[in-house]
Amino acid sequence: HNMRTLNFIKSAAKRERISRETLDIYAPLARNIGCHRICTELEELAFIQLNPQARNAIIRRLENLRNNQGGAISVVSEEIAAKLEGAGIPARVYGREKHPYSIWRKLQRKPIGFAQLSDIYGFRVIVDTEEDCYRALGLLHRSWSMVPERFKDYISTPKRNNYRSIHTTVVGPRGMRIEVQIRTEAMDRIA
């Protein structure tokens, strides 16, 4: 609530202090306890206060990308789902667009430009079994070119927190670089 009403505080210094505290303490705390929606909202609200120019630039780039790609998330989700269904792999597929603060943070960490980001659009494929995870991966890699060095198998080698999923990036429909996470329902609940 404090972050949602921050614009009513007259002191710019106080708004900045509260926003930095939110990014340093409360957003990471929300992420660590599994409240990702709250974490994302806190990060975005703080980003508005701390770097509005960068945020607006990223939003303009995202809008431009949306205009050029025209409903890419639903189109790609449907295409992935159709390919999986055609191969007899029951799956739920859904996509998302990366949030502006997350994009900015990645651009700060890595020496790449906006155009080189491969996970602006991310898709999650939820299947029934571990075997289906690998079957789905094979199908996606046969359908679209895999981006080198953008593959991680956290099923065979789970993270320390027991996170399990397969991550890959492919040059998918319309030549878009898309990140795909493939996991079972049980893996998704843990994630």
Side-chain angles (χ1 to χ4, degrees):
H1 177 266
N2 288 349
M3 287 304 294
R4 288 177 180 164
T5 58
L6 198 58
N7 58 324
F8 293 108
I9 295 175
K10 290 182 181 16
S11 167
K14 189 171 183 180
R15 286 194 311 269
E16 182 177 335
R17 180 186 57 78
I18 292 168
S19 295
R20 289 209 182 283
E21 180 179 288
T22 297
L23 280 181
D24 292 344
I25 299 168
Y26 301 113
L29 180 61
R31 177 178 287 112
N32 287 341
I33 63 173
C35 298
H36 295 282
R37 284 191 195 113
I38 292 172
C39 175
T40 299
E41 182 179 0
L42 290 173
E43 289 172 341
E44 290 300 318
L45 291 168
F47 192 33
I48 290 168
Q49 297 296 323
L50 296 173
N51 202 337
Q53 290 176 323
R55 184 176 183 276
N56 290 336
I58 290 169
I59 287 172
R60 281 193 303 277
R61 295 290 301 267
L62 287 172
E63 286 171 356
N64 193 21
L65 194 60
R66 270 186 234 116
N67 290 338
N68 291 338
Q69 299 293 348
I73 292 174
S74 61
V75 168
V76 173
S77 293
E78 290 169 10
E79 191 161 338
I80 292 171
K83 285 187 178 298
L84 292 167
E85 185 179 329
I89 304 170
R92 284 188 304 118
V93 179
Y94 54 94
R96 59 97 180 117
E97 181 180 272
K98 200 169 188 75
H99 294 280
Y101 178 74
S102 184
I103 291 171
W104 181 81
R105 189 174 57 209
K106 188 168 223 174
L107 291 172
Q108 297 303 303
R109 279 192 334 258
K110 296 188 176 210
I112 58 174
F114 187 90
Q116 284 80 44
L117 289 175
S118 59
D119 62 347
I120 289 176
Y121 295 122
F123 297 86
R124 190 157 297 147
V125 175
I126 311 295
V127 295
D128 292 336
T129 66
E130 196 172 299
E131 181 182 331
D132 287 342
C133 290
Y134 291 102
R135 289 178 55 218
L137 175 68
L139 177 68
L140 292 176
H141 283 178
R142 284 190 306 275
S143 300
W144 297 297
S145 298
M146 178 186 145
V147 176
E149 298 178 21
R150 295 285 306 161
F151 172 77
K152 294 182 181 128
D153 185 349
Y154 295 118
I155 293 176
S156 68
T157 310
K159 289 186 177 184
R160 287 189 325 198
N161 63 1
N162 202 29
Y163 175 84
R164 298 177 73 217
S165 183
I166 296 172
H167 295 198
T168 188
T169 301
V170 296
V171 179
R174 302 179 183 180
M176 293 177 4
R177 288 169 57 115
I178 57 172
E179 181 183 74
V180 182
Q181 298 173 352
I182 307 166
R183 58 177 76 144
T184 66
E185 198 73 52
M187 292 173 196
D188 195 48
R189 279 193 301 276
I190 291 169

